[in-house]
Structure formats: structure tokens, C-alpha cells
Amino acid sequence: MTDAAGPERLALRTLARLAEPARPRVDPRELRTRIVHLGLGAFHRAHQAPYTEDAVAAAGGDWGIAGVTLRSRKVLDQLAAQDCLYSVLERSNAESHIRVVGAIREALFAGDESAEVVRRLADPAVAVATMTVTEKGYGGPVIGLLVDGLHARMRADAGPLAVVSCDNLAHNGSTLAGRVRDFVEHMPDGERVQTWLAASVTFPNTMVDRIVPATTEADRAEVARLIGLRDEGAVVTEPFRQWVVQDEFPGGRPAWERAGVVLTRDVESYELAKLRMLNASHSALAYLGWPAGCDTIADAMGVEAFATVVDRLMREDVQPTLDPPEGLDLEQYRNQLLDRFANAALRHRTEQVAMDGSQKLPQRLLPTLAQRRAAGAEPRWGARVLAAWMCWVWIDRRADGTPRPLDDPLAETLAGAVANVTTPAQVVNRLLAVREVFDARFAEDGVIRKLLVEAVEQISRVGTADAARMWESEDRT
């Protein structure tokens, strides 16, 4: 049976049509809401939800997820019509694998159903709340929604809860705890709520890693071909995945360790390695690659000079700042990252990675530069990457005339900072003065400023590709 849109829709009633390897690893009907997830985007569907389903398949339990979309109804509309089932398509340069995941059992839109979200967070059956709201979400209304749910949970005496940030933030759990406590401080019964939080709620730190590009219509067409059903909620990802979690769950949790999750007391060293090596390199490839006509991260890796930049960024500037945990070989990790970036089957768009630079770079890149300067070093490669971002802000189109999208919470501030400037030195001075991104001590470092001006001049004069070739050539002499 088909409709005007093509094959019949993925749903519980059509699961029997799937080949056995593609079916959910547990019966979705045996799960109930035990986890509430805020930020029901592609990353959660490709990362925490499959981990949870795999944990239940390995060790039992009824750990289902209520997913909450925060910005629009789009994901809700994609999933609700198919009983919250969706496909995860793993792609590498060699092969592809597909599975349908059934761990998400209901989807809510906070804009219309905030009261329902609060009720889920106050449900005694719920023991874990997770979040993927991106770096910019920690200053937004999501914190208020979370606090409303925690407040209702306290009043209902619903038991302890772990609130788990899964975003790319240093000390993400501690950061989230601080935002929550700051919000609670201004509530009429804030002191009572603070006491309850301290006794009943934990905020574990975590590190998450999986590359999940935006799904395209071509991806959905491939999924339909592979499973014989239409899936509007499909996500595409790489085979690699990693999740490191501080094991502080007072109300219980799925047996995630049975699915490969690393449960540890030391999340920070994993977290710093990922932020400074993977995430900073991703940003580098976006800000260098897009202006040179590279639409995907793999395209950018195909430019030898760009691949050299990220390799030397990691080797010469990042690795000296890291104290890796036992078992993490930074040389091996770097080489693994270079291979992952070159995965042409993934089609991760540079334009997507370039979004929100003002929020990402203070987490991914600036601490490396500051730490190298404190050690007396000249972090040339890190400064060149920062210069590429500055040129991204300043130069509003490619050489072929394609407009550059400045998709950033500080877009207006950044554009104003570089308006009417004519020299690289002015660009650097104006942007270093944006205190939402750079603190005064960093901005006043003469070595950093000199390196930035030099690199911005080179990029603005010859473009990112030729500038990167110049850097490679200079460093050979």
C-alpha cells in the first residue's frame, strides 16, 4: 500500500515488514516513560536513544523516553505519525547499516505542551532527565522549563532525579547545575528548593561523541529504499559513537554500561580531549572549507592544506594542553579523528558546523590558546583557526558571490563590530573587543593579536586555501 507521498509510513503496525536486523532491539510496547529528554533533535535520536535501547536489550528494564522538542513542532510532526519510531542510518566510506529505534515512546512540543512536560518531569516513574539543547540553550527558556519540572517534582515528593547534560560544554553537568541554581535563587521559595536540589537531584558531567549531520531528502529516499517504508524522522550518522558519564544516578538508570557507555568519576579529561581535538578541528574545517567552496567536512579534508591545518592544530597546540585518561592514546585518537572527518559518505555540511561560532569557540578553541600562552608558547595553528572565524564574520561571501550565512546568536553584534572596517588589524581589534566572546586578558595578549592580524591579512588577501598552503610552506622552511 502506498500514498501520494510514496511508500507506507513506518509505524508499529508496519514493523513486521522490516527485515529482522533492522527492527528495534526491544519491543517498544513494553517500554514506558522513565526518561525525559529535552531537545529532541537528530543528535539525541542517533546517540542517547540507541544507547538506551541497547541497554534494555542487554539487561532488561522498561526504560522508555519522552522526547521534548523545544523550538518547533517539526520533529513532533515527523515522529507522532509513526509511533515515535525512526531509522538510524550509519554510513562509512565502505558500507551502510540501518536500524529502527523504538526507545522514544512519546514526543511533546514544549511550545504547546509545557504543562505536560512539567508533569513528566514530576512523575515518580521518571528517574532521569537528559538534555541536548546546544551551547546557546543554557541561557534560554529551557532552564525555566526544567526548573518548573523540578519544582513540581519537589512539591509532589516524587523522589530523586539525575539531570544529564549531553551538550558540548566543558563541565556540562556542573554548568547546568549552576544555571538551575541561579534561576532558583530568584524564586519565592528559592531557599527551600535549593535545599531539595542538594539532597535529591544530581547533575552528572558527561562527554558525548558522534557526528550527526542534518538529514536531507536524499537521505530519506535512501532510507525508504532500504526498509521499504517512508520515515520522516530518519537520522544519518557515522559508525563511531562514544558516551562517557559520571555515575551519579540516585533514582536508578538503564544499564548503559552494557551498551558500551563508559561510567567513570573522571569525565573531564575525556571531555577536554573531545572539545579541543574533535570539535575545534570541526570548526577549523568549516571556517576554512566553506569559503573555499567545500560544502562538506569531507570535501574540506580533501584539500591537503586544510587537512594539514587540523592535524598540526591537534598535534602542536591541543595535545600539549591535555592530560589524557588512562587508555586514551592521543596519537591514536588524532589519527582516528582525521579518518572520521574524511568520511565522504556522511556529507556533514560545513555551513551547519559553522553555526553559532561565538558560542562554540569559547569552549572549543580559546582555552587551548590561553593555556599555550600561559606556557610561553606561540599557538600559531590555533590562532590561524580563530583568524578563519574572524574572516568568516568579516567577509560576507565566497569568491563566486555565494552569500555567507552568519547564523549565530550574536550575529547582529558581530556584524556591527566589523561594519565599515577596512584593514585586518581593525577586524582583529573590533572582534577581540566583543566581551561576550573574548575576555580582556585574552584580548590584550600581544602575541595572540599579532598572530591573528597576520593570518587575517593572509586569508583576506588570497583566500583560505592559498593561505593554508602558505602556512604549510612557511613551516617547512
Side-chain angles (χ1 to χ4, degrees):
M1 175 180 167
T2 62
D3 57 29
E8 191 171 359
R9 195 80 171 261
L10 173 67
L12 286 171
R13 70 180 183 279
T14 57
L15 274 182
R17 299 187 186 185
L18 298 177
E20 186 66 35
R23 294 181 188 175
R25 295 175 186 177
V26 299
D27 185 343
R29 291 163 293 198
E30 295 180 358
L31 306 179
R32 61 178 179 142
T33 295
R34 302 289 311 282
I35 299 170
V36 175
H37 180 78
L38 304 180
L40 187 55
F43 184 80
H44 172 73
R45 284 178 281 151
H47 191 269
Q48 296 98 40
Y51 267 123
T52 298
E53 181 171 283
D54 291 347
V56 173
D62 57 357
W63 294 92
I65 301 167
V68 181
T69 180
L70 300 168
R71 289 181 289 185
S72 77
R73 292 186 55 89
K74 182 179 179 181
V75 175
L76 177 63
D77 293 339
Q78 290 172 339
L79 294 181
Q82 47 197 60
D83 300 315
C84 293
L85 301 173
Y86 64 93
S87 306
V88 177
L89 176 60
E90 294 182 1
R91 283 195 184 125
S92 70
N93 285 328
E95 58 186 350
S96 296
H97 295 281
I98 195 163
R99 62 180 284 192
V100 170
V101 174
I104 298 173
R105 297 317 316 129
E106 59 178 335
L108 303 168
F109 173 43
D112 294 339
E113 300 170 293
S114 60
E116 288 298 319
V117 176
V118 168
R119 276 194 281 273
R120 298 301 185 280
L121 288 167
D123 185 345
V126 169
V128 179
T130 56
M131 290 175 52
T132 48
V133 298
T134 74
E135 293 90 340
K136 62 187 175 185
Y138 287 74
V142 65
I143 301 299
L145 178 63
L146 174 62
V147 170
D148 285 345
L150 293 174
H151 198 201
R153 190 176 186 89
M154 180 194 75
R155 293 195 304 269
D157 194 21
L161 183 74
V163 182
V164 186
S165 168
C166 299
D167 285 300
N168 287 318
L169 292 168
H171 316 292
N172 54 11
S174 302
T175 298
L176 175 57
R179 297 286 193 276
V180 167
R181 290 178 180 125
D182 287 346
F183 193 102
V184 167
E185 189 176 315
H186 300 287
M187 296 171 60
D189 58 346
E191 187 174 343
R192 178 179 170 227
V193 179
Q194 298 279 26
T195 300
W196 177 80
L197 286 173
S200 302
V201 181
T202 60
F203 296 88
N205 289 306
T206 71
M207 186 277 280
V208 297
D209 189 359
R210 198 171 209 189
I211 296 172
V212 186
T215 306
T216 67
E217 288 304 317
D219 296 329
R220 294 187 183 95
E222 181 179 357
V223 167
R225 179 181 63 79
L226 290 171
I227 68 172
L229 297 168
R230 183 161 57 94
D231 178 5
E232 296 297 324
V235 294
V236 179
T237 188
E238 61 177 335
F240 180 90
R241 66 178 185 176
Q242 187 179 29
W243 194 8
V244 181
V245 184
Q246 189 176 7
D247 196 4
E248 295 184 355
F249 291 84
R253 58 168 175 78
W256 282 316
E257 69 276 14
R258 295 285 299 275
V261 176
V262 176
L263 295 158
T264 180
R265 305 298 301 176
D266 176 24
V267 173
E268 182 179 6
S269 52
Y270 288 95
E271 172 187 84
L272 289 180
K274 192 254 183 171
L275 280 169
R276 297 185 184 185
M277 294 183 73
L278 185 152
N279 295 123
S281 296
H282 240 178
S283 292
L285 290 167
Y287 297 128
L288 293 168
W290 188 91
C294 301
D295 288 330
T296 70
I297 293 296
D299 291 341
M301 278 295 291
V303 177
E304 184 178 353
F306 294 160
T308 297
V309 170
V310 295
D311 180 49
R312 297 191 71 169
L313 168 69
M314 288 190 280
R315 276 195 293 124
E316 298 179 26
D317 285 344
V318 176
Q319 286 180 219
T321 72
L322 299 175
D323 181 17
E326 184 177 352
L328 179 59
D329 183 318
L330 292 180
E331 293 290 317
Q332 183 181 50
Y333 183 52
R334 186 186 73 246
N335 290 328
Q336 182 185 56
L337 291 177
L338 295 172
D339 287 342
R340 291 169 64 192
F341 296 152
N343 182 356
L346 207 53
R347 298 196 287 271
H348 200 181
R349 297 184 64 79
T350 48
E351 182 177 322
Q352 179 190 4
V353 178
M355 292 170 55
D356 304 333
S358 71
Q359 312 296 297
K360 293 174 177 176
L361 294 184
Q363 302 289 333
R364 301 178 174 193
L365 183 63
L366 302 191
T368 293
L369 295 176
Q371 196 167 331
R372 293 295 284 149
R373 287 298 301 128
E378 291 191 7
R380 291 173 300 164
W381 297 98
R384 288 161 174 169
V385 172
L386 182 55
W389 172 76
M390 289 183 164
C391 289
W392 172 266
V393 172
W394 181 31
I395 302 169
D396 66 357
R397 60 194 63 245
R398 281 174 170 165
D400 66 3
T402 304
R404 178 267 296 127
L406 186 57
D407 190 341
D408 192 289
L410 294 181
E412 186 175 344
T413 298
L414 297 172
V418 297
N420 303 315
V421 301
T422 57
T423 69
Q426 288 176 323
V427 172
V428 171
N429 291 339
R430 293 277 190 88
L431 288 175
L432 286 178
V434 178
R435 286 292 166 264
E436 295 94 330
V437 182
F438 303 102
D439 65 36
R441 184 175 179 182
F442 184 93
E444 291 165 4
D445 188 305
V447 171
I448 291 288
R449 188 181 297 268
K450 177 178 178 294
L451 291 169
L452 290 172
V453 171
E454 180 181 83
V456 168
E457 188 279 328
Q458 291 168 322
I459 293 171
S460 63
R461 179 165 49 87
V462 302
T464 56
D466 283 341
R469 293 183 187 105
M470 289 168 57
W471 302 335
E472 186 179 13
S473 176
E474 288 170 6
D475 279 33
R476 284 178 182 157
T477 59

PDB file of all heavy atoms in Angstrom, residues 363-393:
ATOM      1  N   GLN A 363      34.403  27.446  24.002  1.00  0.00           N
ATOM      2  CA  GLN A 363      34.501  26.114  24.591  1.00  0.00           C
ATOM      3  C   GLN A 363      35.571  25.280  23.891  1.00  0.00           C
ATOM      4  O   GLN A 363      36.316  24.536  24.530  1.00  0.00           O
ATOM      5  CB  GLN A 363      33.155  25.386  24.463  1.00  0.00           C
ATOM      6  CG  GLN A 363      31.980  26.090  25.097  1.00  0.00           C
ATOM      7  CD  GLN A 363      32.046  26.068  26.606  1.00  0.00           C
ATOM      8  OE1 GLN A 363      32.631  25.163  27.182  1.00  0.00           O
ATOM      9  NE2 GLN A 363      31.462  27.062  27.235  1.00  0.00           N
ATOM     10  N   ARG A 364      35.670  25.428  22.570  1.00  0.00           N
ATOM     11  CA  ARG A 364      36.458  24.513  21.759  1.00  0.00           C
ATOM     12  C   ARG A 364      37.904  24.968  21.540  1.00  0.00           C
ATOM     13  O   ARG A 364      38.801  24.118  21.449  1.00  0.00           O
ATOM     14  CB  ARG A 364      35.799  24.350  20.383  1.00  0.00           C
ATOM     15  CG  ARG A 364      34.395  23.826  20.430  1.00  0.00           C
ATOM     16  CD  ARG A 364      33.770  23.722  19.047  1.00  0.00           C
ATOM     17  NE  ARG A 364      32.455  23.082  19.129  1.00  0.00           N
ATOM     18  CZ  ARG A 364      31.779  22.631  18.081  1.00  0.00           C
ATOM     19  NH1 ARG A 364      32.277  22.755  16.863  1.00  0.00           N
ATOM     20  NH2 ARG A 364      30.609  22.060  18.243  1.00  0.00           N
ATOM     21  N   LEU A 365      38.119  26.271  21.390  1.00  0.00           N
ATOM     22  CA  LEU A 365      39.415  26.754  20.913  1.00  0.00           C
ATOM     23  C   LEU A 365      40.119  27.715  21.859  1.00  0.00           C
ATOM     24  O   LEU A 365      41.332  27.602  22.076  1.00  0.00           O
ATOM     25  CB  LEU A 365      39.225  27.422  19.541  1.00  0.00           C
ATOM     26  CG  LEU A 365      40.483  27.935  18.851  1.00  0.00           C
ATOM     27  CD1 LEU A 365      41.439  26.785  18.546  1.00  0.00           C
ATOM     28  CD2 LEU A 365      40.128  28.682  17.569  1.00  0.00           C
ATOM     29  N   LEU A 366      39.383  28.665  22.407  1.00  0.00           N
ATOM     30  CA  LEU A 366      40.040  29.715  23.189  1.00  0.00           C
ATOM     31  C   LEU A 366      40.789  29.182  24.400  1.00  0.00           C
ATOM     32  O   LEU A 366      41.888  29.684  24.712  1.00  0.00           O
ATOM     33  CB  LEU A 366      39.018  30.778  23.613  1.00  0.00           C
ATOM     34  CG  LEU A 366      38.253  31.476  22.476  1.00  0.00           C
ATOM     35  CD1 LEU A 366      37.478  32.675  23.013  1.00  0.00           C
ATOM     36  CD2 LEU A 366      39.169  31.900  21.343  1.00  0.00           C
ATOM     37  N   PRO A 367      40.286  28.168  25.140  1.00  0.00           N
ATOM     38  CA  PRO A 367      41.076  27.652  26.262  1.00  0.00           C
ATOM     39  C   PRO A 367      42.430  27.076  25.835  1.00  0.00           C
ATOM     40  O   PRO A 367      43.418  27.195  26.571  1.00  0.00           O
ATOM     41  CB  PRO A 367      40.174  26.574  26.862  1.00  0.00           C
ATOM     42  CG  PRO A 367      38.797  26.988  26.479  1.00  0.00           C
ATOM     43  CD  PRO A 367      38.938  27.565  25.105  1.00  0.00           C
ATOM     44  N   THR A 368      42.485  26.467  24.652  1.00  0.00           N
ATOM     45  CA  THR A 368      43.768  25.961  24.144  1.00  0.00           C
ATOM     46  C   THR A 368      44.742  27.104  23.929  1.00  0.00           C
ATOM     47  O   THR A 368      45.917  27.040  24.350  1.00  0.00           O
ATOM     48  CB  THR A 368      43.560  25.201  22.825  1.00  0.00           C
ATOM     49  OG1 THR A 368      42.812  24.012  23.094  1.00  0.00           O
ATOM     50  CG2 THR A 368      44.889  24.827  22.193  1.00  0.00           C
ATOM     51  N   LEU A 369      44.285  28.166  23.289  1.00  0.00           N
ATOM     52  CA  LEU A 369      45.160  29.322  23.040  1.00  0.00           C
ATOM     53  C   LEU A 369      45.635  29.930  24.356  1.00  0.00           C
ATOM     54  O   LEU A 369      46.824  30.247  24.511  1.00  0.00           O
ATOM     55  CB  LEU A 369      44.411  30.364  22.213  1.00  0.00           C
ATOM     56  CG  LEU A 369      44.025  29.949  20.791  1.00  0.00           C
ATOM     57  CD1 LEU A 369      43.204  31.043  20.127  1.00  0.00           C
ATOM     58  CD2 LEU A 369      45.240  29.634  19.944  1.00  0.00           C
ATOM     59  N   ALA A 370      44.729  30.100  25.297  1.00  0.00           N
ATOM     60  CA  ALA A 370      45.095  30.701  26.578  1.00  0.00           C
ATOM     61  C   ALA A 370      46.101  29.831  27.333  1.00  0.00           C
ATOM     62  O   ALA A 370      47.070  30.340  27.927  1.00  0.00           O
ATOM     63  CB  ALA A 370      43.836  30.930  27.421  1.00  0.00           C
ATOM     64  N   GLN A 371      45.883  28.524  27.311  1.00  0.00           N
ATOM     65  CA  GLN A 371      46.778  27.625  28.042  1.00  0.00           C
ATOM     66  C   GLN A 371      48.165  27.575  27.397  1.00  0.00           C
ATOM     67  O   GLN A 371      49.179  27.528  28.098  1.00  0.00           O
ATOM     68  CB  GLN A 371      46.166  26.223  28.104  1.00  0.00           C
ATOM     69  CG  GLN A 371      46.807  25.323  29.151  1.00  0.00           C
ATOM     70  CD  GLN A 371      45.977  24.079  29.409  1.00  0.00           C
ATOM     71  OE1 GLN A 371      44.754  24.080  29.259  1.00  0.00           O
ATOM     72  NE2 GLN A 371      46.647  22.998  29.799  1.00  0.00           N
ATOM     73  N   ARG A 372      48.214  27.607  26.075  1.00  0.00           N
ATOM     74  CA  ARG A 372      49.512  27.616  25.398  1.00  0.00           C
ATOM     75  C   ARG A 372      50.257  28.921  25.662  1.00  0.00           C
ATOM     76  O   ARG A 372      51.478  28.937  25.855  1.00  0.00           O
ATOM     77  CB  ARG A 372      49.322  27.407  23.890  1.00  0.00           C
ATOM     78  CG  ARG A 372      48.817  26.031  23.532  1.00  0.00           C
ATOM     79  CD  ARG A 372      49.835  24.947  23.879  1.00  0.00           C
ATOM     80  NE  ARG A 372      50.932  24.904  22.931  1.00  0.00           N
ATOM     81  CZ  ARG A 372      52.164  24.541  23.218  1.00  0.00           C
ATOM     82  NH1 ARG A 372      52.490  24.203  24.468  1.00  0.00           N
ATOM     83  NH2 ARG A 372      53.105  24.513  22.299  1.00  0.00           N
ATOM     84  N   ARG A 373      49.540  30.014  25.710  1.00  0.00           N
ATOM     85  CA  ARG A 373      50.199  31.296  26.017  1.00  0.00           C
ATOM     86  C   ARG A 373      50.710  31.298  27.457  1.00  0.00           C
ATOM     87  O   ARG A 373      51.809  31.810  27.730  1.00  0.00           O
ATOM     88  CB  ARG A 373      49.217  32.447  25.803  1.00  0.00           C
ATOM     89  CG  ARG A 373      48.930  32.755  24.349  1.00  0.00           C
ATOM     90  CD  ARG A 373      50.188  33.192  23.579  1.00  0.00           C
ATOM     91  NE  ARG A 373      50.771  34.373  24.178  1.00  0.00           N
ATOM     92  CZ  ARG A 373      52.047  34.509  24.536  1.00  0.00           C
ATOM     93  NH1 ARG A 373      52.904  33.503  24.392  1.00  0.00           N
ATOM     94  NH2 ARG A 373      52.480  35.642  25.058  1.00  0.00           N
ATOM     95  N   ALA A 374      49.942  30.725  28.372  1.00  0.00           N
ATOM     96  CA  ALA A 374      50.385  30.670  29.764  1.00  0.00           C
ATOM     97  C   ALA A 374      51.662  29.848  29.899  1.00  0.00           C
ATOM     98  O   ALA A 374      52.468  30.080  30.816  1.00  0.00           O
ATOM     99  CB  ALA A 374      49.279  30.073  30.637  1.00  0.00           C
ATOM    100  N   ALA A 375      51.872  28.914  28.968  1.00  0.00           N
ATOM    101  CA  ALA A 375      53.087  28.101  28.977  1.00  0.00           C
ATOM    102  C   ALA A 375      54.227  28.753  28.198  1.00  0.00           C
ATOM    103  O   ALA A 375      55.301  28.167  28.049  1.00  0.00           O
ATOM    104  CB  ALA A 375      52.792  26.722  28.388  1.00  0.00           C
ATOM    105  N   GLY A 376      53.971  29.959  27.678  1.00  0.00           N
ATOM    106  CA  GLY A 376      55.008  30.684  26.941  1.00  0.00           C
ATOM    107  C   GLY A 376      55.109  30.317  25.481  1.00  0.00           C
ATOM    108  O   GLY A 376      56.050  30.749  24.787  1.00  0.00           O
ATOM    109  N   ALA A 377      54.162  29.551  24.957  1.00  0.00           N
ATOM    110  CA  ALA A 377      54.205  29.116  23.558  1.00  0.00           C
ATOM    111  C   ALA A 377      53.475  30.102  22.659  1.00  0.00           C
ATOM    112  O   ALA A 377      52.683  30.930  23.114  1.00  0.00           O
ATOM    113  CB  ALA A 377      53.575  27.732  23.434  1.00  0.00           C
ATOM    114  N   GLU A 378      53.735  29.992  21.352  1.00  0.00           N
ATOM    115  CA  GLU A 378      53.017  30.756  20.339  1.00  0.00           C
ATOM    116  C   GLU A 378      52.097  29.801  19.587  1.00  0.00           C
ATOM    117  O   GLU A 378      52.547  29.050  18.708  1.00  0.00           O
ATOM    118  CB  GLU A 378      53.986  31.425  19.365  1.00  0.00           C
ATOM    119  CG  GLU A 378      54.793  32.545  19.977  1.00  0.00           C
ATOM    120  CD  GLU A 378      55.534  33.363  18.921  1.00  0.00           C
ATOM    121  OE1 GLU A 378      55.300  33.134  17.706  1.00  0.00           O
ATOM    122  OE2 GLU A 378      56.330  34.225  19.311  1.00  0.00           O
ATOM    123  N   PRO A 379      50.820  29.783  19.900  1.00  0.00           N
ATOM    124  CA  PRO A 379      49.901  28.819  19.292  1.00  0.00           C
ATOM    125  C   PRO A 379      49.480  29.247  17.880  1.00  0.00           C
ATOM    126  O   PRO A 379      48.375  29.731  17.646  1.00  0.00           O
ATOM    127  CB  PRO A 379      48.716  28.818  20.260  1.00  0.00           C
ATOM    128  CG  PRO A 379      48.726  30.201  20.841  1.00  0.00           C
ATOM    129  CD  PRO A 379      50.159  30.614  20.921  1.00  0.00           C
ATOM    130  N   ARG A 380      50.388  29.042  16.930  1.00  0.00           N
ATOM    131  CA  ARG A 380      50.152  29.539  15.573  1.00  0.00           C
ATOM    132  C   ARG A 380      48.939  28.906  14.913  1.00  0.00           C
ATOM    133  O   ARG A 380      48.139  29.588  14.256  1.00  0.00           O
ATOM    134  CB  ARG A 380      51.383  29.280  14.706  1.00  0.00           C
ATOM    135  CG  ARG A 380      52.604  30.116  15.089  1.00  0.00           C
ATOM    136  CD  ARG A 380      53.814  29.677  14.297  1.00  0.00           C
ATOM    137  NE  ARG A 380      54.119  28.267  14.567  1.00  0.00           N
ATOM    138  CZ  ARG A 380      54.920  27.527  13.800  1.00  0.00           C
ATOM    139  NH1 ARG A 380      55.456  28.040  12.718  1.00  0.00           N
ATOM    140  NH2 ARG A 380      55.168  26.268  14.109  1.00  0.00           N
ATOM    141  N   TRP A 381      48.799  27.580  15.061  1.00  0.00           N
ATOM    142  CA  TRP A 381      47.718  26.903  14.347  1.00  0.00           C
ATOM    143  C   TRP A 381      46.362  27.247  14.946  1.00  0.00           C
ATOM    144  O   TRP A 381      45.391  27.489  14.215  1.00  0.00           O
ATOM    145  CB  TRP A 381      47.977  25.398  14.334  1.00  0.00           C
ATOM    146  CG  TRP A 381      49.233  25.107  13.582  1.00  0.00           C
ATOM    147  CD1 TRP A 381      50.476  24.882  14.102  1.00  0.00           C
ATOM    148  CD2 TRP A 381      49.397  25.110  12.164  1.00  0.00           C
ATOM    149  NE1 TRP A 381      51.399  24.727  13.100  1.00  0.00           N
ATOM    150  CE2 TRP A 381      50.768  24.855  11.890  1.00  0.00           C
ATOM    151  CE3 TRP A 381      48.529  25.287  11.094  1.00  0.00           C
ATOM    152  CZ2 TRP A 381      51.273  24.777  10.601  1.00  0.00           C
ATOM    153  CZ3 TRP A 381      49.025  25.211   9.808  1.00  0.00           C
ATOM    154  CH2 TRP A 381      50.374  24.953   9.565  1.00  0.00           C
ATOM    155  N   GLY A 382      46.286  27.319  16.253  1.00  0.00           N
ATOM    156  CA  GLY A 382      45.034  27.728  16.869  1.00  0.00           C
ATOM    157  C   GLY A 382      44.661  29.151  16.507  1.00  0.00           C
ATOM    158  O   GLY A 382      43.489  29.464  16.254  1.00  0.00           O
ATOM    159  N   ALA A 383      45.658  30.046  16.473  1.00  0.00           N
ATOM    160  CA  ALA A 383      45.390  31.431  16.095  1.00  0.00           C
ATOM    161  C   ALA A 383      44.915  31.524  14.647  1.00  0.00           C
ATOM    162  O   ALA A 383      44.050  32.338  14.308  1.00  0.00           O
ATOM    163  CB  ALA A 383      46.643  32.277  16.304  1.00  0.00           C
ATOM    164  N   ARG A 384      45.461  30.687  13.782  1.00  0.00           N
ATOM    165  CA  ARG A 384      45.036  30.696  12.379  1.00  0.00           C
ATOM    166  C   ARG A 384      43.589  30.239  12.235  1.00  0.00           C
ATOM    167  O   ARG A 384      42.850  30.767  11.399  1.00  0.00           O
ATOM    168  CB  ARG A 384      45.990  29.818  11.557  1.00  0.00           C
ATOM    169  CG  ARG A 384      47.361  30.462  11.371  1.00  0.00           C
ATOM    170  CD  ARG A 384      48.432  29.465  10.976  1.00  0.00           C
ATOM    171  NE  ARG A 384      49.689  30.150  10.661  1.00  0.00           N
ATOM    172  CZ  ARG A 384      50.855  29.538  10.494  1.00  0.00           C
ATOM    173  NH1 ARG A 384      50.948  28.211  10.631  1.00  0.00           N
ATOM    174  NH2 ARG A 384      51.941  30.229  10.193  1.00  0.00           N
ATOM    175  N   VAL A 385      43.196  29.272  13.034  1.00  0.00           N
ATOM    176  CA  VAL A 385      41.794  28.845  13.012  1.00  0.00           C
ATOM    177  C   VAL A 385      40.885  29.967  13.517  1.00  0.00           C
ATOM    178  O   VAL A 385      39.829  30.243  12.934  1.00  0.00           O
ATOM    179  CB  VAL A 385      41.611  27.565  13.851  1.00  0.00           C
ATOM    180  CG1 VAL A 385      40.127  27.220  14.001  1.00  0.00           C
ATOM    181  CG2 VAL A 385      42.383  26.413  13.223  1.00  0.00           C
ATOM    182  N   LEU A 386      41.279  30.629  14.595  1.00  0.00           N
ATOM    183  CA  LEU A 386      40.494  31.759  15.099  1.00  0.00           C
ATOM    184  C   LEU A 386      40.426  32.865  14.063  1.00  0.00           C
ATOM    185  O   LEU A 386      39.376  33.496  13.878  1.00  0.00           O
ATOM    186  CB  LEU A 386      41.105  32.272  16.403  1.00  0.00           C
ATOM    187  CG  LEU A 386      40.368  33.423  17.093  1.00  0.00           C
ATOM    188  CD1 LEU A 386      38.910  33.075  17.362  1.00  0.00           C
ATOM    189  CD2 LEU A 386      41.077  33.793  18.397  1.00  0.00           C
ATOM    190  N   ALA A 387      41.516  33.100  13.345  1.00  0.00           N
ATOM    191  CA  ALA A 387      41.515  34.103  12.277  1.00  0.00           C
ATOM    192  C   ALA A 387      40.542  33.716  11.167  1.00  0.00           C
ATOM    193  O   ALA A 387      39.880  34.584  10.578  1.00  0.00           O
ATOM    194  CB  ALA A 387      42.924  34.263  11.719  1.00  0.00           C
ATOM    195  N   ALA A 388      40.446  32.421  10.872  1.00  0.00           N
ATOM    196  CA  ALA A 388      39.492  31.978   9.847  1.00  0.00           C
ATOM    197  C   ALA A 388      38.067  32.305  10.267  1.00  0.00           C
ATOM    198  O   ALA A 388      37.232  32.704   9.443  1.00  0.00           O
ATOM    199  CB  ALA A 388      39.658  30.482   9.594  1.00  0.00           C
ATOM    200  N   TRP A 389      37.763  32.135  11.571  1.00  0.00           N
ATOM    201  CA  TRP A 389      36.430  32.529  12.053  1.00  0.00           C
ATOM    202  C   TRP A 389      36.236  34.040  11.929  1.00  0.00           C
ATOM    203  O   TRP A 389      35.164  34.498  11.526  1.00  0.00           O
ATOM    204  CB  TRP A 389      36.237  32.098  13.505  1.00  0.00           C
ATOM    205  CG  TRP A 389      34.961  32.637  14.101  1.00  0.00           C
ATOM    206  CD1 TRP A 389      33.698  32.192  13.866  1.00  0.00           C
ATOM    207  CD2 TRP A 389      34.834  33.754  14.993  1.00  0.00           C
ATOM    208  NE1 TRP A 389      32.789  32.952  14.574  1.00  0.00           N
ATOM    209  CE2 TRP A 389      33.457  33.912  15.274  1.00  0.00           C
ATOM    210  CE3 TRP A 389      35.758  34.606  15.594  1.00  0.00           C
ATOM    211  CZ2 TRP A 389      32.988  34.906  16.121  1.00  0.00           C
ATOM    212  CZ3 TRP A 389      35.283  35.598  16.439  1.00  0.00           C
ATOM    213  CH2 TRP A 389      33.909  35.745  16.693  1.00  0.00           C
ATOM    214  N   MET A 390      37.253  34.821  12.258  1.00  0.00           N
ATOM    215  CA  MET A 390      37.140  36.276  12.135  1.00  0.00           C
ATOM    216  C   MET A 390      36.869  36.678  10.687  1.00  0.00           C
ATOM    217  O   MET A 390      36.049  37.575  10.418  1.00  0.00           O
ATOM    218  CB  MET A 390      38.409  36.940  12.659  1.00  0.00           C
ATOM    219  CG  MET A 390      38.553  36.857  14.169  1.00  0.00           C
ATOM    220  SD  MET A 390      40.023  37.729  14.784  1.00  0.00           S
ATOM    221  CE  MET A 390      39.628  37.848  16.542  1.00  0.00           C
ATOM    222  N   CYS A 391      37.518  36.011   9.750  1.00  0.00           N
ATOM    223  CA  CYS A 391      37.252  36.297   8.338  1.00  0.00           C
ATOM    224  C   CYS A 391      35.862  35.825   7.932  1.00  0.00           C
ATOM    225  O   CYS A 391      35.211  36.451   7.083  1.00  0.00           O
ATOM    226  CB  CYS A 391      38.322  35.638   7.464  1.00  0.00           C
ATOM    227  SG  CYS A 391      39.936  36.441   7.585  1.00  0.00           S
ATOM    228  N   TRP A 392      35.407  34.736   8.524  1.00  0.00           N
ATOM    229  CA  TRP A 392      34.030  34.276   8.297  1.00  0.00           C
ATOM    230  C   TRP A 392      33.038  35.372   8.681  1.00  0.00           C
ATOM    231  O   TRP A 392      32.055  35.620   7.980  1.00  0.00           O
ATOM    232  CB  TRP A 392      33.793  33.019   9.120  1.00  0.00           C
ATOM    233  CG  TRP A 392      32.390  32.499   9.174  1.00  0.00           C
ATOM    234  CD1 TRP A 392      31.457  32.774  10.119  1.00  0.00           C
ATOM    235  CD2 TRP A 392      31.765  31.615   8.242  1.00  0.00           C
ATOM    236  NE1 TRP A 392      30.279  32.099   9.848  1.00  0.00           N
ATOM    237  CE2 TRP A 392      30.448  31.383   8.698  1.00  0.00           C
ATOM    238  CE3 TRP A 392      32.203  30.981   7.075  1.00  0.00           C
ATOM    239  CZ2 TRP A 392      29.561  30.556   8.024  1.00  0.00           C
ATOM    240  CZ3 TRP A 392      31.309  30.144   6.403  1.00  0.00           C
ATOM    241  CH2 TRP A 392      30.008  29.951   6.877  1.00  0.00           C
ATOM    242  N   VAL A 393      33.288  36.035   9.792  1.00  0.00           N
ATOM    243  CA  VAL A 393      32.411  37.118  10.242  1.00  0.00           C
ATOM    244  C   VAL A 393      32.537  38.336   9.331  1.00  0.00           C
ATOM    245  O   VAL A 393      31.547  38.993   9.004  1.00  0.00           O
ATOM    246  CB  VAL A 393      32.745  37.499  11.701  1.00  0.00           C
ATOM    247  CG1 VAL A 393      31.979  38.741  12.129  1.00  0.00           C
ATOM    248  CG2 VAL A 393      32.447  36.338  12.648  1.00  0.00           C
TER     249      VAL A 393
END
